[in-house]
């Protein structure tokens, strides 16, 4: 590899996908933690920055939305709304569209008069009028429409009986889980399989935190895993398509281009009118080759992978190739 | 119009909130006034969950009042205030507000939310307890869910009676004495279908009586909801002093202001993320004194050891704490 410090690492010459990548590691090791912070805060990285707004629109916008559309057409179970969650879906639309119009005034605009709304999205050449609360006023219904406007996966958790219930959502880009399987479960059931978190009490803490969020409050956290191939849909349903690659990637000469760090920026928003918890999951992929273009990232990620305890590597599904990846990164 | 100047500083309970203008004041009864607040620039106000309350600052104090609207994309907030002559002075100050006055208020806070899965809302209110359940009734109508209301008030002292009649029609039952209320209540508690949730607001003794009877008749706790009128209480905590041993500083932490804010105001930079006692970032070593732990981060054992505390939410049991800072 021929990266020389000072030339190729000049942040300004890096492509957008690297400069805006939410690189999640701040130290040489990684453990689970609640790591929540207020949303809407710009975070500088060694290559650029991320996180100034809730909804991030990048160069992959149209491509990812086209992918999502195909996935939903092929597998409608990726989107579900239990009947009592309809108002929460509208609350989500009434919260996110105005925020996007404010963050991207050149591309989008939102107007509202009572329940009558108008939404324009120049990126899609779209100009629609709809009525909050009237499901028939949006083509494809409100949730699928929203899923055609933002790259994030959408999960809605109803808060009742002192816990949270996953009662609606649109998840096309799940990382090794199944939305269809989790629908209707409560918070503890959903997190049952994660190792260590039970002992470390993290889930209970996170639950208490979320239950206490006030309507209108917005927080976020990051999470990460690794993915073979440039594919966002690694849901349990498509395991036969991507699972086998995990066993062969370690010895694949193309590993630096095929193996990706996958980072999720997760927003936790208590919706203002329904009080339902909106959980947005925006997934970013960056191949090792790109990570290595930022020397600080190359080294830190290499160390994190080398140091990660076995059970966590196992759960993340990276155990068979993490050494190869870390060796390549640390070899510089 | 009387000129009530904005207080110089916002109370911590309304920090990060809104500055609103009184746009209408109308008496409901001899002792209850309705006050409407709007953004002076005409901006839309944040939506709120039905049954939410607003913390309003009067002079140096604050009081919480229930919002009476549905909460869907409001252009104004409306509250109704009962004058309490021997109270802390908040309600009397509110009764002096006039159109054009400006007030500091918090963002709406939810503490009495309707259950999304309810198939019917049975609302029960006594006196000024009508305010949050009126919000529930409006939101239910908006969303196409049914509700019914039993409203107890002494003749001539009922607020929002006309609105309740318009909104609920035959689903409203008005009672003016205990006996007739007791009969209606018993009958309703025994005839509800399975998906009904009950919401009660009024004096504590009234709510306890309603909830007790519901439980005796087999209502599961998850379907019972209540809120004391005057809304949620703000837990400001007691004032205390911190002694920062390494910096040789002594700081007073007033009620309603966190230790973290106090340290920040004194120029200290303390790592923090959530400011809610969850993330564990703002941990501080304690040398002497007993912290009043209010966080969710430390384990029970760590709390018992009293050698660390989360300064964003925790306070002190003792008048003074000594910190290694
Ligand atoms: S800032 Fe998170 S626990 Fe105090």
């Amino acid at each position: 590899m021929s990266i020389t410090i000072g030339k190729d690492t000049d942040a300004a010459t890096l492509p957008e996908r690297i400069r805006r990548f939410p690189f999640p590691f701040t130290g040489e090791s990684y453990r689970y933690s609640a790591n929540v912070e207020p949303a809407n805060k710009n975070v500088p990285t060694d290559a650029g920055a991320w996180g100034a707004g809730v909804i991030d629109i990048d160069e992959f916008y149209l491509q990812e939305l086209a992918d999502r559309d195909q996935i939903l057409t092929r597998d409608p179970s990726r989107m579900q709304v239990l009947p009592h969650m309809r108002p929460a879906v509208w609350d989500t639309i009434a919260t996110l569209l105005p925020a996007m119009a404010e963050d991207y005034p050149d591309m989008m605009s939102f107007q509202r008069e009572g329940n009558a709304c108008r939404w324009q999205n120049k990126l899609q050449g779209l100009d629609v009028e709809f009525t909050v609360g009237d499901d028939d006023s949006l083509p494809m219904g409100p949730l699928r429409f929203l899923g055609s406007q933002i790259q994030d996966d959408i999960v809605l958790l109803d808060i009742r009986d002192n816990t949270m219930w996953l009662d609606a959502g649109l998840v096309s880009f799940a990382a090794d889980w199944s939305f269809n399987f989790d629908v209707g479960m409560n918070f503890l059931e959903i997190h049952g399989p994660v190792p260590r978190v039970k002992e470390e009490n993290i889930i209970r803490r996170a639950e208490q935190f979320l239950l206490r969020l006030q309507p209108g409050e917005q927080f976020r956290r990051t999470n990460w895993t690794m993915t073979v191939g440039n594919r966002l849909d690694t849901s349990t349903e498509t395991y036969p398509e991507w699972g086998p690659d995990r066993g062969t990637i370690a010895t694949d000469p193309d590993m630096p281009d095929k193996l990706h760090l996958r980072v999720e920026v997760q927003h936790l928003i208590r919706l203002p009118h329904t009080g339902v918890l909106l959980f947005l999951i925006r997934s970013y992929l960056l191949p090792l080759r790109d990570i290595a273009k930022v020397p600080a990232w190359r080294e830190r990620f290499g160390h994190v992978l080398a140091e990660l305890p076995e059970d966590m590597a196992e759960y993340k599904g990276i155990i068979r190739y993490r050494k190869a990846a870390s060796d390549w990164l640390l070899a510089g | 119009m009387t000129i009530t100047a904005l207080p110089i500083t916002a109370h911590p309970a309304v920090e990060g909130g809104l500055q609103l203008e009184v746009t209408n004041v109308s008496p409901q009864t001899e002792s209850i006034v309705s006050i409407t607040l709007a953004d002076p620039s005409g901006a839309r106000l944040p939506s709120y969950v039905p049954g939410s309350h607003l913390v309003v600052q009067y002079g140096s104090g604050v009081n919480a009042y229930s919002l009476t609207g549905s909460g869907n994309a409001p252009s104004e907030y409306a509250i109704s205030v009962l004058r309490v002559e021997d109270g802390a002075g908040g309600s009397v100050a509110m009764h002096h507000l006039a159109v054009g006055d400006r007030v500091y208020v918090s963002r709406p806070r939810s503490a009495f939310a309707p259950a999304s899965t309810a198939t019917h809302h049975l609302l029960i209110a006594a006196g000024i307890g009508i305010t949050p359940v009126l919000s529930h009734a409006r939101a239910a109508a908006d969303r196409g869910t049914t509700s019914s209301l039993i409203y107890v008030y002494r003749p001539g002292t009922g607020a929002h009676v006309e609105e309740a009649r318009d909104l609920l029609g035959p689903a409203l039952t008005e009672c003016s004495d205990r006996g007739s209320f007791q009969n209606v209540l018993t009958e309703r508690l025994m005839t509800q279908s399975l998906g009904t949730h009950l919401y009660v607001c009024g004096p504590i003794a009234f709510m306890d009586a309603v909830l007790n009877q519901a439980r005796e008749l087999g209502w599961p706790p998850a379907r019972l909801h209540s809120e004391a009128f005057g809304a949620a209480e703000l837990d400001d905590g007691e004032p205390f002093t911190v002694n920062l041993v390494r910096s040789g500083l002594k700081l007073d932490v007033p009620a309603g202001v966190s230790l973290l804010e106090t340290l920040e105001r004194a120029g200290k930079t303390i790592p923090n993320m959530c400011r809610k006692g969850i993330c564990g970032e703002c941990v501080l070593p304690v040398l002497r004194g007993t912290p009043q732990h209010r966080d969710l981060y430390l384990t029970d054992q760590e709390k018992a050891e009293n050698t660390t505390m989360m300064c964003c939410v925790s306070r002190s049991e003792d008048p003074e704490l000594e910190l290694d800072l």
Side-chain angles (χ1 to χ4, degrees):
Chain A
M1 221 178 66
S2 61
I3 300 296
T4 49
I5 296 177
K7 186 166 155 279
D8 293 6
T9 60
D10 182 357
T13 68
L14 291 171
E16 283 258 295
R17 66 175 185 281
I18 301 179
R19 279 193 285 133
R20 303 184 44 181
F21 189 72
F23 190 77
F25 306 112
T26 49
E28 310 269 279
S29 64
Y30 172 85
R31 292 293 181 275
Y32 292 115
S33 76
N35 73 316
V36 281
E37 60 179 359
N40 294 299
K41 207 175 74 188
N42 195 50
V43 182
T45 67
D46 290 294
W50 65 277
V54 168
I55 299 297
D56 183 30
I57 293 173
D58 64 13
E59 59 191 299
F60 307 114
Y61 183 71
L62 293 175
Q63 181 58 51
E64 284 181 18
L65 294 178
D67 288 352
R68 167 174 290 155
D69 192 56
Q70 275 185 5
I71 291 167
L72 289 172
T73 305
R74 196 179 64 226
D75 179 2
S77 78
R78 308 291 188 101
M79 181 181 90
Q80 291 180 51
V81 182
L82 300 188
H84 64 276
M85 297 301 274
R86 283 187 50 250
V89 170
W90 282 108
D91 205 4
T92 309
I93 290 179
T95 301
L96 293 184
L97 295 188
M100 290 167 74
E102 200 165 301
D103 286 352
Y104 302 96
D106 302 339
M107 303 178 217
M108 288 148 187
S109 82
F110 178 80
Q111 284 133 35
R112 175 167 184 172
E113 207 53 65
N115 283 334
C117 304
R118 180 173 181 194
W119 169 246
Q120 288 163 294
N121 178 346
K122 285 195 196 147
L123 292 175
Q124 301 183 2
L126 194 69
D127 185 347
V128 285
E129 289 179 13
F130 60 88
T131 308
V132 170
D134 176 4
D135 283 11
D136 295 333
S137 66
L138 274 173
M140 312 174 281
L143 187 54
R144 180 136 184 200
F145 174 76
L146 183 63
S148 75
Q149 301 300 300
I150 63 175
Q151 289 157 273
D152 306 61
D153 280 334
I154 305 158
V155 170
L156 289 164
L157 298 154
D158 191 29
I159 298 187
R160 62 190 140 86
D161 309 338
N162 212 20
T163 186
M164 286 161 285
W165 304 84
L166 199 170
D167 285 348
L170 187 167
V171 180
S172 52
F173 304 139
D176 213 353
W177 63 290
S178 165
F179 170 71
N180 191 26
F181 182 73
D182 284 359
V183 165
M185 286 192 187
N186 72 27
F187 196 71
L188 282 175
E189 291 164 347
I190 296 165
H191 292 90
V194 186
R196 279 168 188 256
V197 292
K198 270 240 182 73
E199 298 89 291
E200 293 174 20
N201 228 348
I202 287 165
I203 293 305
R204 191 192 61 87
R205 255 182 231 150
E207 182 184 40
Q208 287 304 314
F209 171 69
L210 295 172
L211 287 173
R212 282 168 206 215
L213 277 189
Q214 274 295 323
E217 287 193 300
Q218 309 189 334
F219 282 77
R220 73 177 179 212
R221 67 185 295 269
T222 59
N223 193 15
W224 70 278
T225 183
M226 296 184 77
T227 299
V228 183
N230 187 6
R231 53 181 311 146
L232 285 171
D233 176 17
T234 51
S235 54
T236 318
E237 286 87 345
T238 53
Y239 182 83
E241 290 167 34
W242 54 267
D245 294 346
R246 290 173 164 187
T248 53
I249 188 70
T251 54
D252 188 331
D254 291 334
M255 180 189 71
D257 301 297
K258 282 191 185 160
L259 193 54
H260 292 69
L261 170 60
R262 175 182 176 126
V263 177
E264 294 180 355
V265 175
Q266 306 174 342
H267 277 94
L268 310 156
I269 297 173
R270 192 91 193 261
L271 292 169
H273 184 41
T274 54
V276 162
L277 189 80
L278 166 65
F279 185 51
L280 292 171
I281 309 160
R282 175 65 199 282
S283 302
Y284 300 83
L285 291 172
L286 201 65
L288 296 191
R289 177 87 64 201
D290 278 349
I291 287 171
K293 289 181 182 148
V294 186
W297 289 4
R298 177 178 62 67
E299 232 179 275
R300 229 178 292 152
F301 189 33
H303 286 300
V304 165
L305 284 176
E307 196 276 343
L308 197 69
E310 288 283 290
D311 57 343
M312 291 170 71
E314 172 81 60
Y315 177 71
K316 285 189 184 290
I318 67 176
I319 197 146
R320 278 175 289 176
Y321 54 78
R322 63 109 160 230
K323 180 164 182 340
S326 133
D327 286 351
W328 184 84
L329 288 162
L330 294 176
Chain B
M1 154 179 146
T2 58
I3 304 296
T4 306
L6 269 176
I8 312 292
T9 48
H11 188 281
V14 300
E15 239 169 56
L18 311 158
Q19 270 187 36
L20 301 182
E21 187 174 292
V22 176
T23 51
N24 191 36
V25 174
S26 64
Q28 285 277 340
T29 68
E30 240 163 59
S31 55
I32 298 173
V33 66
S34 287
I35 299 163
T36 310
L37 304 165
D39 188 294
S41 70
R44 196 180 289 286
L45 298 173
S47 293
Y48 57 88
V49 177
S52 287
H53 63 272
L54 201 62
V55 179
V56 185
Q57 178 167 4
Y58 66 92
S60 59
V62 289
N63 260 357
Y65 300 101
S66 294
L67 289 156
T68 55
S70 78
N72 178 29
S75 54
E76 56 184 33
Y77 289 160
I79 55 176
S80 292
V81 181
L82 170 70
R83 181 197 286 262
V84 185
E85 297 295 349
D86 53 359
S91 70
V92 174
M94 298 298 293
H95 275 248
H96 284 136
L97 285 174
V99 171
D101 287 347
R102 300 239 173 141
V103 288
Y104 281 118
V105 305
S106 68
R107 283 169 184 274
R109 298 180 62 85
S110 168
F112 187 49
S116 58
T117 47
T119 52
H120 181 79
H121 301 282
L122 173 59
L123 309 169
I124 302 171
I128 191 68
I130 184 68
T131 50
V133 304
L134 187 62
S135 171
H136 279 225
R138 290 203 163 108
D142 259 16
R143 290 175 191 173
T145 314
T146 58
S147 63
S148 51
L149 168 59
I150 313 174
Y151 184 11
V152 193
Y153 60 91
R154 271 179 288 115
T157 67
H160 300 288
V161 174
E162 283 308 322
E163 283 161 277
R165 285 178 187 152
D166 286 351
L167 193 60
L168 290 141
L172 170 69
T173 309
E174 295 169 58
C175 301
S176 57
D177 66 277
R178 286 196 170 264
S180 66
F181 169 66
Q182 194 48 58
N183 292 340
V184 174
L185 178 67
T186 308
E187 190 259 323
R188 292 300 156 76
L189 288 178
M190 293 190 353
T191 54
Q192 294 301 319
S193 59
L194 202 59
T196 300
H197 280 244
L198 178 153
Y199 307 80
V200 58
C201 184
I204 305 269
F206 172 83
M207 293 195 305
D208 283 350
V210 170
L211 295 172
N212 280 337
Q213 194 177 347
R215 278 189 289 261
E216 273 161 26
L217 290 170
W219 284 64
R223 288 204 276 129
L224 301 177
H225 312 269
S226 62
E227 183 172 65
F229 68 57
E233 168 183 318
L234 299 163
D235 191 1
D236 285 352
E238 296 295 318
F240 62 102
T241 306
V242 281
N243 192 358
L244 310 183
V245 177
R246 272 188 287 133
S247 1
L249 263 181
K250 236 184 203 214
L251 301 173
D252 289 328
V253 186
V257 181
S258 72
L259 173 54
L260 175 60
E261 285 168 62
T262 307
L263 293 169
E264 286 176 338
R265 284 179 197 175
K268 298 270 167 203
T269 314
I270 312 289
N272 68 84
M273 276 174 89
C274 67
R275 300 176 84 98
K276 282 177 175 285
I278 170 89
C279 72
E281 280 291 302
C282 69
V283 65
L284 289 182
V286 178
L287 296 175
R288 220 151 47 83
T290 312
Q292 179 192 20
H293 296 289
R294 308 205 290 186
D295 63 277
L296 298 158
Y297 180 79
L298 297 173
T299 62
D300 291 345
Q301 195 189 333
E302 286 168 326
K303 284 181 182 167
E305 285 165 8
N306 285 330
T307 53
T308 52
M309 71 184 291
M310 314 311 299
C311 65
C312 61
V313 290
S314 294
R315 306 187 67 83
S316 180
E317 301 284 1
D318 302 322
E320 185 169 314
L321 277 185
E322 221 167 84
L323 303 177
D324 189 8
L325 198 76

